[in-house]
Each structure stands twice: as structure tokens, then as C-alpha cells.
Amino acid sequence: MYRRAAFVLFLAIGIVFQLSHGVEVEVKVQDKLCLYANLMVNFSVSYDIAGNKSATAEFELPADVTTVGSECNDKSSLLKLNFGEGHSWSMNFTVTDKMYQVDSIAFTYNLSDTALFPNSLNNDTKTSTLKPHITDIGLDTCYSCKSNDMLEDVSVNQTLFDVLIQAFVNNGSKSEQITSCAADLPTASPTTAAPTTTTKPTTTPTTTPTTTPTPTLPPPATGKYSLKNDNGSTVCLLAYFGLRISLKQGDKYEEMNFEPNGTAVSGSCGVNSSELVLVSSTMNISFTFLNDAKKFRLHALNVTGKTSSGAPFTEANNSLSLWEASVGSSYMCNKEQNDTITGLLSIYTFGLHVQPFGVKKDSFSTAHECSMDDTSILIPIIVGAALAGLILIVVIAYVIGRRKTYVGYQTL
């Protein structure tokens, strides 16, 4: 691994090539390659215009980009592509053991650029930050993903494709080894075996392995987490819950309770997006909530940690629609709730109560209860069952009465 150390000032400007299939970028330190990227990005941005309306700008990462602000370090690197009138797109890379990953993608756009955002009511510069699922890339290998990878935020959608990147380049030479994204990997197609004639074997009972994990741990401790606004005077986010994660490893599941004691709490509160980050001794979890002016929901979840065997893992989903409630209220689910996050990760929540927007007087607002907690639906069911039972009793009594009447008038 190269050493950056005191060579910050020698970071060379990147070399940019526009190929037919993407923008190729080389970031160098002292004329040695340290970060390589060849990719395409399409953007779709919604913004406000006059008449209480919105417009959508659609454009792609242009050919004319610079890499001013890009950095290469031993444990973290930053690819920053600057373009147009104050726009930039960046990837932040970090190393864990012998693997590296993309921790975040940030897109900064300037609404005063009339070429991209005509008739915009605002002249603000805004930033959309997302956590992509680009993980477990071996050092000295390139990450490749030809398939479309869509990242969604409140007002911004980004689509990455034809991606080939390598951070932490060793010895100044791009590797020929490839780590492909899951979407590019071939799926196994079923094969039909030729019919054969065999004698029927003795049937012995077999046990079919279950595909759903059964919780075996004691209920996790309930953590009470809160964030305050920038001046630190009032609470802007509240979240109470016990949390267990279930991680699929091969044909087995490993379950881990999240320990709230000693957990570091951080994050941010925004008008349209809020984030809660919990860092314990064994696990890092970030929750991203979105607000569409009418309802809020859990939009993204990123979990990083290690299994009991010490193997690192990272699982993320940036397109969730969980824990939904009206803005100005809170979401509550006292009973155990199980949500599937990815094909490998599920979470169990216990005593969940969360409000990421509109907290008043440092307390939860009126709660929207999950379907498992809502007992109001039982009332019409009970009343209906009682009425049905009463009608059945009346019908039986009527039939018995009619039979006795016929017996009393028999001819002698």
C-alpha cells in the first residue's frame, strides 16, 4: 500500500478521458495512479418553479469534469468530479481489513444554473448524500457493474451504469482482477436430467430445513435515542426500540441483539430527510427517514458489523418504505415486528416508537399504531360474531318450536 503521509500537496490533478461508454478518470499522487474510475451517471432532479409547481431536470455526467478535491489515503479515499456551474459528484471509499467499500455518494447541485434548472425559484446549492450497496471489494481489484444501479432520494434520483472503479491502487498500476456486482453475476438456470429407470428405494423420513430464522435469543434491551437541533436546545428526533438483526450465512442464520448501553448516537435532522446513526462496540447502524410533506417513512437502512466468527459484513437497502406515519405524528409498534431488509438481512424490533420529524416539547406526538397493535379491528369482529351467534340461537329455537306445534295437532 502506498503512503500519502506528507504528500498531500503533491496530489496531482486527475486525468479525464471521455470514452463512448463513460467518463474515465485517473487520480495520481506524485505521478503514480492511486484511484481509477470509468463510469456513467444519469441524474433526475425535481425542483420548485413558479405557481406552486415543480419541474424535473434530467441530465448525465458530462464529459468536461475535473477531479479537484479528490484525495488518496491509506484508509480512505475520495473521488470528486466537478462539472458545470458549481456541481459535483463524489464517492467516499474506506478500507476494512483486506476489503474496501463505498461509504457514501454525494451529489451537490447548484439551482442557480439556468442551463440545467430553468425557472428555478431557488438559487441554493443542495447536496444529496446516499449510502450505496457497493461493498466487499478486494484490495488490488476493480469493482465492475455494467447493470443499472438506481439510488433514490427525496428530490434526486441517480442511476449508475457501466461502472469500473478501483480505489487504493497499489504500485501505481490498475488491477486486471474484477469484483462484479451481484446484478452482473449469471443466475443458475435449471437443467433437466435425462430420464432414468431405477428401483424404488426405501423411503425414509427427511426433515426439510426451514428458511425462516426462529428467534432464540432473549428480547433485546430497549434503547432510548434522541437527537437535538443544531443549537442543542430542543429534541428533533426520538426513537425507542429494542433491536435484533438476523444475518443469513449460507444455509444458516446468525442472530445478534443490538446493545444500547455504551452506544454512541449521532445523526442529523432536516426538513425532508433525517438520519439516526448508532455505533456500538460490535455494530454500526444508520437509519435514514424521508418526509414527503404528508407522511414520513424509513427509507434506508445500513448495517455494518462482524459476525461471531469475526467476519465483517455490510448490508444496506436504500429503497425501503417502513414505519410509515403522518407527519406530525409518531409510529409505534409494541409487539415484535420482523422486516426483511435484504436477501441476507432481517431485523426484529421490540417496543418500537419513533418520530423523526416534528417533535414538540421533547415528547412523542400521537402515535400511529402498527396493525399488530391496533385492537380496534377486533371490536367489529367480536360484535359480528356475537350477532351471528344470537341469530343462530333464534333460528334453532324457532325450528324446535315449530316441531312441537306439529306434534300437538296430530290426527287421532
Side-chain angles (χ1 to χ4, degrees), residues 343-363:
L344 301 179
L345 178 71
S346 296
I347 63 170
Y348 296 86
T349 54
F350 301 76
L352 173 65
H353 199 179
V354 62
Q355 185 172 350
F357 303 98
V359 177
K360 296 179 180 179
K361 298 181 180 180
D362 298 349
S363 300

Side-chain angles (χ1 to χ4, degrees), residues 250-329:
D251 295 330
K252 298 181 179 180
Y253 291 84
E254 179 174 349
E255 295 176 353
M256 293 167 274
N257 283 345
F258 185 80
E259 178 54 57
N261 293 332
T263 292
V265 182
S266 62
S268 61
C269 295
V271 176
N272 297 319
S273 176
S274 293
E275 183 179 35
L276 174 65
V277 180
L278 305 177
V279 179
S280 72
S281 59
T282 58
M283 211 178 303
N284 297 357
I285 306 177
S286 67
F287 305 82
T288 302
F289 300 89
L290 294 187
N291 168 10
D292 63 5
K294 293 183 179 180
K295 292 186 176 182
F296 71 80
R297 69 185 187 277
L298 176 63
H299 174 70
L301 180 67
N302 187 296
V303 181
T304 301
K306 291 185 178 181
T307 64
S308 59
S309 62
F313 70 89
T314 299
E315 290 294 321
N317 189 330
N318 298 313
S319 57
L320 298 171
S321 292
L322 302 175
W323 307 354
E324 187 174 286
S326 300
V327 174
S329 65

Side-chain angles (χ1 to χ4, degrees), residues 22-308:
V23 177
E24 187 175 32
V25 179
E26 293 183 350
V27 180
K28 296 184 177 182
V29 174
Q30 293 185 317
D31 293 329
K32 293 186 66 175
L33 180 68
C34 63
L35 197 158
Y36 173 87
N38 187 339
L39 75 167
M40 284 297 298
V41 187
N42 287 341
F43 302 96
S44 176
V45 182
S46 297
Y47 62 98
D48 295 329
I49 59 176
N52 199 25
K53 296 180 180 179
S54 64
T56 301
E58 296 184 349
F59 52 94
E60 66 180 20
L61 184 68
D64 187 14
V65 301
T66 68
T67 58
V68 176
S70 298
E71 294 184 358
C72 292
N73 292 298
D74 285 345
K75 296 298 182 182
S76 65
S77 291
L78 176 69
L79 171 66
K80 186 176 182 182
L81 305 180
N82 309 284
F83 61 94
E85 298 183 14
H87 315 295
S88 66
W89 184 88
S90 62
M91 269 186 168
N92 185 48
F93 303 87
T94 58
V95 171
T96 303
D97 296 331
K98 296 183 179 180
M99 315 290 282
Y100 70 94
Q101 57 274 326
V102 179
D103 277 355
S104 62
I105 290 179
F107 171 48
T108 298
Y109 54 100
N110 178 17
L111 289 172
S112 65
D113 183 356
T114 56
L116 291 182
F117 306 104
N119 305 317
S120 174
L121 285 181
N122 301 314
N123 293 322
D124 302 337
T125 297
K126 298 188 175 183
T127 299
S128 169
T129 303
L130 296 167
K131 292 179 172 59
H133 190 47
I134 303 177
T135 61
D136 299 332
I137 311 167
L139 288 174
D140 299 329
T141 67
C142 290
Y143 171 81
S144 173
C145 195
K146 298 182 182 299
S147 304
N148 288 359
D149 184 6
M150 179 174 287
L151 306 175
E152 298 179 341
D153 203 348
V154 177
S155 302
V156 177
N157 289 342
Q158 305 177 45
T159 303
L160 284 65
F161 59 99
D162 284 343
V163 175
L164 183 67
I165 53 177
Q166 184 182 0
F168 312 104
V169 176
N170 192 20
N171 296 325
S173 299
K174 181 171 70 73
S175 174
E176 298 300 322
Q177 300 297 318
I178 297 294
T179 298
S180 297
C181 65
D184 284 359
L185 296 176
T187 56
S189 57
T191 57
T192 303
T196 57
T197 302
T198 59
T199 57
K200 185 176 181 180
T202 303
T203 302
T204 57
T206 59
T207 302
T208 303
T210 179
T211 58
T212 303
T214 302
T216 56
L217 298 175
T222 299
K224 296 185 177 182
Y225 314 106
S226 63
L227 295 177
K228 291 189 175 182
N229 55 20
D230 292 338
N231 58 28
S233 60
T234 58
V235 173
C236 58
L237 183 150
L238 286 170
Y240 295 179
F241 53 78
L243 180 65
R244 172 185 299 146
I245 74 163
S246 177
L247 185 69
K248 186 177 181 181
Q249 297 178 288
D251 295 330
K252 298 181 179 180
Y253 291 84
E254 179 174 349
E255 295 176 353
M256 293 167 274
N257 283 345
F258 185 80
E259 178 54 57
N261 293 332
T263 292
V265 182
S266 62
S268 61
C269 295
V271 176
N272 297 319
S273 176
S274 293
E275 183 179 35
L276 174 65
V277 180
L278 305 177
V279 179
S280 72
S281 59
T282 58
M283 211 178 303
N284 297 357
I285 306 177
S286 67
F287 305 82
T288 302
F289 300 89
L290 294 187
N291 168 10
D292 63 5
K294 293 183 179 180
K295 292 186 176 182
F296 71 80
R297 69 185 187 277
L298 176 63
H299 174 70
L301 180 67
N302 187 296
V303 181
T304 301
K306 291 185 178 181
T307 64
S308 59

